[in-house]
Each structure stands twice: as structure tokens, then as C-alpha cells.
Amino acid sequence: MTTITSPVPTTHTSNAQRRHRVLVTRAIPDAALRELEATFDVESNQDDVLWPVHELIARLQGKDGVMTNGSLRIDAALLEACPDLRICANMAVGYNNFDVEAMTAHGVQGTNTPDVLTETTADFGFALLLATARRVTESERYLREGRWKGWRHDMFCGPDVHGATLGIIGMGRIGQAIAQRAAHGFGMRVIYHNRSQLDAATEQRLKARWVDKNTLLREADHVMLVLPYSPAAHHTIGAAELVLMKSTATLVNLARGGIVDDAALAAALRERRIAAAGLDVFEGEPSVHPDLLTVPNAVLTPHIASASTATRLAMARLAARNLQSYLLEGKAITPVNKLANALASHRAAKA
Ligand code: GLV
């Protein structure tokens, strides 16, 4: 049910001040919703109805803030149609759904949810890596289909994970948490590629070595993608990159759809030019390239890398705290843009 909650007095606003109005575009954990409702007039969407853009824009009229997930595009057209909006709080660490430049020009604060999902997402990176290399879902399908007739020495053999070389592309917080697990938990040799090199102490702690992208692709037994999406990162892995990888290598994409050319990957998997891939994100998701659905050597999950119960609650709470902190105190906790003069001029224009 879509609800508009009635105002309750709080210590944050005087009776003379109107409570800020906030739209939550998708269902969120109840505890986080209750926290928001203690402070704001909240229009929520706990039935998780997918609103078309025109309906979303209608619901955003008169709203000071919105809690979004990473798939709702916030661009100049939407901002122009929603002149009351002052903050968009993503319940996601990635914010490629934001046109940050347009938001800054409109004096709209953007926020994301870093840190709270790092370890959970890194755990899932390993879940996908292990499932992909050790052919967990492929062999489970075989068993469920009643095809298992007995033990064979070469049944579902795949590459080892422990002791292998892991190539990580994107070495932010999540990349580093994966490197930590790889080096210290699985005795892997870690190489990474990132725009900037880590400081020597961090490299030493993670036992990780910076290499150029092509060296990484040639040397890695397993490649893990954890870089943020940007137009420059589009098809970081395409046909030309797949050719460089070992035929025994695996590829895991935890990052964003569009970082991998999914059609080129499906062809490489079908022709066994690489061994296998584990994908949690897809170009044009929730649609999945049909060829990926038919190759046996792909482990496919529906964008769930941060989906532990505790972490999803922590993400919703951080997004809620960003709305509270910005609308009540003028300062976001985890901002993704700096407003400075743009905010002042926008507010003046609205006054
Ligand atoms: C999920 O993909 C996120 O960006 O948090």
C-alpha cells in the first residue's frame, strides 16, 4: 500500500516550522521507514510498485527529499520538473543513476551509502568467484535434473581458487576488502589495476601489486570487476580484453552492468575462450542478454551482492540519516557532490 503518514511532533522542528516531506520510491526495511517517519512526512511505497516517470514526478511535487535506489535516473529533466527537491539519497554505494552535474547545477544534494556494504559485498564477490570456478550452480543443475549416475574423476573439475592469481580491476573499498580475503584467507597472489595506485603500506598489507590492465588480464587466473560505472568505464571488458585472458580464467562482475560487453562475454563463454563467468550485474538489467542465459558456464545472480539482512538495513538507515542530516542540519553525511555556490543560488532562486 502506498501511504502518506500523518505528521507527529518531534524535537527536530518547532511547531511553527513545517515538517519536511520525503518520498521513498521503493520498499525499504520497516525499521528504516519508522526512523524516517519520526522526522518527516513520508510518502512510502512498501508495496514496491514500479512507478512510471510521470507518476514519480507527480509524487515528487512538494517533496524536499527523495530516497532512491541505484536504478532510478535523476537527470536534468526530472530535476526541472521537481523544483522543490533538495536532496536525493541513494540506497546504494553506486550513483551512476545520478547526473551529478545536473544535480549540482540545480542545487540538489546527492548522497550514497558507502562503507556499510563493503564487507558484505566482498563476501559475495568470493561467493561468486568460488561458485564460478568450482562450477557450483552448473553441477547443482546436473544433480537436480537426475543426471548424476556416480563419481567420475573429471566430473565438474574447474580451476582452483586458493593459491591462484586474482586480478582486481577497481581498488576502492570493496576491491580492498576482496584483496584482504584473497591474500590472507585464500593465499592468492593479488594484482590490481586502478586509476591511482594504493600507498605502499596498504599494498603491503593487502599483498597487492599494481599492474597495467593488459598485464592483469594476461596474468590473472581469476578477474574480479569492482570499479564504479562511468562512461569511461563502459565495456572495460569487451572482445579485445577477453582475448587477452587465459582460456582457463574466470571473470566476476560485481560492479555494474555496462562495465562488461555482455554479448562479447557470452560468445567467449560459449566458445570456451575463457572458462566461466560469475555475474551479479547486467547491461540493461533486469533484462539479461539471452545468450548468457543459455551458456552453462555462467553463474548469474540478480544484483544481490549487498543483500544481507543487516547490510540492507544499514544502507536504508544511512540513506535516511543523510536525508535527516541534510534537511535538518544542512550537511549530508556521505555526499557525492559539493554544492557550495550552486546551493546558495538555487535557494535564492526558490525564495
Ligand atoms: C549496489 O549495486 C550498490 O551500488 O550499492
Side-chain angles (χ1 to χ4, degrees):
M1 189 183 56
T2 298
T3 54
I4 301 181
T5 57
S6 55
V8 285
T10 74
T11 52
H12 294 287
T13 51
S14 74
N15 285 341
Q17 256 179 324
R18 80 162 174 85
R19 279 161 59 101
H20 292 99
R21 298 188 187 113
V22 162
L23 179 70
V24 182
T25 62
R26 298 293 305 272
I28 61 171
D30 286 334
L33 182 59
R34 282 195 297 275
E35 284 171 22
L36 271 179
E37 288 172 343
T39 324
F40 300 127
D41 288 354
V42 180
E43 182 177 349
S44 62
N45 182 11
Q46 291 301 75
D47 277 351
D48 215 28
V49 175
L50 292 178
W51 294 323
V53 173
H54 67 87
E55 185 176 346
L56 178 78
I57 288 174
R59 289 178 187 275
L60 279 171
Q61 301 311 302
K63 300 295 192 304
D64 306 281
V66 61
M67 191 191 293
T68 50
N69 73 352
S71 55
L72 175 64
R73 184 84 189 134
I74 304 290
D75 58 13
L78 182 134
L79 294 168
E80 268 147 40
C82 305
D84 303 307
L85 203 55
R86 291 174 52 203
I87 172 169
C88 299
N90 241 15
M91 185 184 147
V93 66
Y95 53 93
N96 55 301
N97 58 315
F98 288 170
D99 179 339
V100 174
E101 214 175 293
M103 288 169 70
T104 305
H106 283 78
V108 173
Q109 181 69 64
T111 63
N112 67 340
T113 58
D115 298 318
V116 292
L117 48 58
T118 300
E119 299 300 329
T120 297
T121 304
D123 283 352
F124 195 77
F126 259 85
L128 260 190
L129 170 57
L130 289 164
T132 302
R134 299 301 309 279
R135 305 174 64 177
V136 170
T137 55
E138 190 185 352
S139 60
E140 185 187 355
R141 278 194 299 273
Y142 175 87
L143 180 151
R144 284 179 185 273
E145 287 162 11
R147 295 162 60 203
W148 184 27
K149 300 298 175 224
W151 188 90
R152 256 190 73 96
H153 74 93
D154 58 352
M155 194 165 63
F156 293 108
C157 284
D160 267 322
V161 171
H162 75 273
T165 296
L166 177 64
I168 302 175
I169 301 186
M171 200 55 149
R173 301 172 183 87
I174 297 169
Q176 290 178 40
I178 287 166
Q180 170 78 22
R181 284 160 176 72
H184 297 282
F186 286 80
M188 299 179 89
R189 171 177 169 253
V190 178
I191 52 179
Y192 73 97
H193 182 70
N194 198 47
R195 262 178 320 182
S196 52
Q197 194 170 343
L198 298 173
D199 61 78
T202 308
E203 279 195 346
Q204 206 172 15
R205 177 171 56 78
L206 299 174
K207 301 187 186 173
R209 183 168 63 86
W210 187 94
V211 292
D212 63 67
K213 183 173 136 188
N214 288 355
T215 302
L216 182 145
L217 293 170
R218 282 195 198 96
E219 289 189 8
D221 298 310
H222 306 287
V223 174
M224 179 98 67
L225 303 172
V226 271
L227 66 165
Y229 182 85
S230 68
H234 189 72
H235 288 185
T236 294
I237 302 294
E241 288 74 22
L242 290 161
V243 163
L244 298 178
M245 291 175 64
K246 298 178 183 178
S247 60
T248 50
T250 72
L251 175 72
V252 169
N253 185 8
L254 275 191
R256 271 291 182 274
I259 301 262
V260 174
D261 177 341
D262 285 349
L265 174 61
L269 289 169
R270 187 175 303 286
E271 292 157 23
R272 304 273 170 181
R273 282 186 273 117
I274 67 168
L279 307 171
D280 187 48
V281 287
F282 303 88
E283 288 189 288
E285 65 184 51
S287 295
V288 176
H289 194 290
D291 294 350
L292 286 174
L293 294 171
T294 56
V295 288
N297 46 348
V299 177
L300 310 174
T301 53
H303 203 144
I304 56 167
S306 64
S308 76
T309 309
T311 291
R312 284 287 163 85
L313 175 58
M315 290 164 70
R317 280 197 160 132
L318 178 52
R321 280 172 46 227
N322 267 306
L323 287 161
Q324 289 164 334
S325 182
Y326 188 70
L327 289 174
L328 302 177
E329 285 149 38
K331 196 166 162 32
I333 299 164
T334 48
V336 303
N337 57 342
K338 217 169 157 197
L339 293 179
N341 296 336
L343 178 59
S345 60
H346 179 68
R347 289 221 174 113
K350 280 181 176 175

